[in-house]
Amino acid sequence: MGEGARTDLPLARKIEGVIPVPPDITYDYLQLAMQKGGKLDQPFRGEEILQKIDESIPNAWIVYNKYSLPLPSASPRDVCLERMWMPSYLTRNGTSGMALWSTHHSHIPHVQGFTRVLAGLSGFVLSPSTSSDSLLHTNVVILVQIDVQDSLQTMLEGSYKSGLLKIGLRTAFAHISHLVEQYYEYIQG
């Protein structure tokens, strides 16, 4: 699993790994887990859908979310994103995933005292890979490009340089991989 990516945003990280589950199962699990009430819903719980863009294929959504941070002297954050899920049937090689990026929208509520989070093109790509034992696995690439601004940005960059964020990202990937594997075992019966 590797990290590293550079863009014009202050914090850009790429995580790569393999989950020993077919990509369509991984995709289905992540879609379910990120919905309200799912195992990975924490960042999306307060999300408000501002607009569904029906004319795009696949469909996209513009969403708004607010976050209150449990850190001393950290202002609350808000973010407005365009998000799009890409199913494998729209690609030639069975690749699927989700992309998101910051956008502006006329219906963003004005909330005083919040600091706007900016996201560059981020998300994950799931692609099929055949293992040495001829089983279909999922290659996963996760890219996060984010600017949370102010002292929180400095703290994130410092924790990455110290290795703490790298450990956290690896642990998060291992946790997600474990959840996907459990889901696969469950649906296999």
Side-chain angles (χ1 to χ4, degrees):
M1 182 180 345
E3 292 96 25
R6 296 309 302 160
T7 67
D8 58 342
L9 288 170
L11 186 64
R13 296 296 167 245
K14 183 172 88 172
I15 305 161
E16 298 178 80
V18 175
I19 299 175
V21 171
D24 58 332
I25 302 298
T26 304
Y27 178 81
D28 290 346
Y29 177 79
L30 290 173
Q31 262 197 321
L32 290 170
M34 293 168 87
Q35 291 177 6
K36 288 181 183 171
K39 292 216 180 239
L40 303 173
D41 77 335
Q42 178 63 28
F44 312 102
R45 284 185 189 158
E47 188 172 87
E48 176 185 345
I49 297 174
L50 300 177
Q51 181 181 352
K52 181 179 178 186
I53 305 171
D54 293 319
E55 58 273 1
S56 69
I57 297 176
N59 292 335
W61 292 263
I62 297 178
V63 298
Y64 173 77
N65 209 339
K66 297 183 291 192
Y67 303 94
S68 294
L69 303 170
L71 299 169
S73 303
S75 65
R77 302 295 199 267
D78 68 350
V79 63
C80 184
L81 301 168
E82 188 167 340
R83 182 176 62 220
M84 178 182 296
W85 287 91
M86 176 66 69
S88 62
Y89 65 82
L90 292 176
T91 67
R92 289 185 175 183
N93 64 356
T95 297
S96 61
M98 183 197 56
L100 57 86
W101 55 91
S102 282
T103 191
H104 298 284
H105 194 273
S106 61
H107 293 103
I108 297 174
H110 179 66
V111 184
Q112 197 165 22
F114 276 68
T115 302
R116 178 67 35 96
V117 172
L118 302 173
L121 182 60
S122 300
F124 58 84
V125 176
L126 310 172
S127 57
S129 171
T130 305
S131 66
S132 58
D133 54 2
S134 298
L135 296 174
L136 190 58
H137 291 180
T138 305
N139 278 333
V140 179
V141 177
I142 302 170
L143 178 62
V144 177
Q145 300 181 85
I146 192 167
D147 181 356
V148 293
Q149 303 184 31
D150 299 335
S151 60
L152 187 58
Q153 185 73 28
T154 305
M155 185 174 62
L156 276 175
E157 290 170 351
S159 66
Y160 184 80
K161 289 176 185 173
S162 72
L164 291 174
L165 187 57
K166 290 178 189 178
I167 293 167
L169 292 172
R170 289 183 183 130
T171 302
F173 184 87
H175 176 68
I176 292 168
S177 179
H178 178 71
L179 290 173
V180 172
E181 289 177 58
Q182 282 183 322
Y183 174 73
Y184 185 53
E185 289 173 14
Y186 176 76
I187 63 171
Q188 292 294 315

